[in-house]
């Protein structure tokens, strides 16, 4: 079994890839695990043991030679894409979701959270525009350590 201790780059920044690519399909929450055993879509087992706080991302290259590469592919997550229409709506929903300690990701015009039926109900009750959909996230949702002391 091949042991991977560092990421060799990302396919988005490589001009030419080898002709044969094997994929390791991971749920986004597994991108945060530093040590794990995975299997490629060709049945090859790998051990991943990342150092120095490195985290996996969609498209990361775990192995590469002239003919082959092994690349991370993230599976889709069910998310709620929140699309407030005013700064007031944004502030109110961010405050309420922050009180629940929900991890979020942001794009130019939306806030993404993992699907939760209680969040969906809150958005409906508050009249805040949103859509529920499956998306391939480039990185995992991260909880930020915090306590109310």
């Amino acid at each position: 079994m091949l042991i991977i201790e560092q990421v060799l780059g990302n396919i988005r920044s490589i001009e030419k890839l080898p002709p044969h690519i094997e994929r390791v399909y991971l749920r986004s929450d597994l991108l945060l695990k530093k040590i794990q055993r995975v299997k490629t879509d060709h049945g090859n087992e790998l051990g991943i043991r990342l150092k120095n706080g490195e985290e996996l991302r969609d498209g990361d290259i775990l192995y590469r030679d002239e003919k082959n590469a092994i690349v991370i592919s993230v599976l889709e997550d069910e998310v709620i894409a929140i699309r407030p229409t005013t700064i007031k709506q944004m502030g109110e929903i961010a405050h309420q979701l922050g009180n629940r300690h929900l991890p979020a990701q942001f794009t130019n015009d939306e806030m993404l959270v993992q699907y939760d039926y209680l969040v969906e109900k809150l958005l409906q009750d508050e009249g805040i525009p949103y859509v529920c959909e499956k998306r391939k996230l480039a990185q995992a949702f991260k909880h930020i350590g915090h306590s109310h002391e």
Side-chain angles (χ1 to χ4, degrees):
M1 175 170 47
L2 183 63
I3 304 295
I4 307 298
E5 294 187 329
Q6 68 180 21
V7 172
L8 302 177
N10 193 287
I11 59 172
R12 288 170 187 80
S13 60
I14 303 292
E15 288 185 25
K16 187 169 186 212
L17 288 168
H20 180 258
I21 304 230
E22 288 185 54
R23 301 267 178 190
V24 173
Y25 292 97
L26 294 178
R27 295 185 329 257
S28 67
D29 61 316
L30 293 177
L31 297 174
L32 299 174
K33 284 185 72 175
K34 305 295 179 222
I35 299 174
Q36 57 186 310
R37 180 179 282 194
V38 298
K39 195 177 276 194
T40 71
D41 59 349
H42 288 59
N44 295 315
E45 282 195 33
L46 306 173
I48 299 175
R49 184 175 55 214
L50 299 179
K51 298 177 180 177
N52 302 326
E54 193 171 18
E55 294 175 1
L56 295 170
R57 292 182 174 269
D58 184 57
D60 278 350
I61 301 167
L62 302 178
Y63 172 83
R64 181 178 179 187
D65 64 22
E66 302 79 37
K67 296 180 181 178
N68 302 294
I70 300 174
V71 176
I72 295 289
S73 284
V74 179
L75 299 170
E76 290 181 332
D77 282 291
E78 196 164 337
V79 299
I80 301 175
I82 303 167
R83 299 173 178 158
T85 55
T86 66
I87 192 73
K88 183 178 185 298
Q89 276 186 341
M90 182 62 186
E92 287 175 351
I93 196 62
H95 177 75
Q96 289 188 40
L97 296 178
N99 279 341
R100 297 173 188 212
H101 300 280
L102 287 178
Q105 295 180 17
F106 298 88
T107 66
N108 289 337
D109 58 354
E110 62 188 9
M111 175 193 308
L112 299 177
V113 295
Q114 289 174 311
Y115 179 80
D116 180 306
Y117 73 95
L118 293 172
V119 172
E120 184 176 20
K121 173 130 179 44
L122 172 66
L123 294 166
Q124 289 171 350
D125 292 347
E126 296 293 323
I128 298 174
Y130 72 94
V131 293
C132 296
E133 58 191 12
K134 288 188 176 255
R135 283 208 193 165
K136 187 174 184 174
L137 301 175
Q139 60 188 13
F141 284 105
K142 290 184 196 173
H143 285 277
I144 298 173
H146 175 74
S147 65
H148 289 278
E149 294 178 18

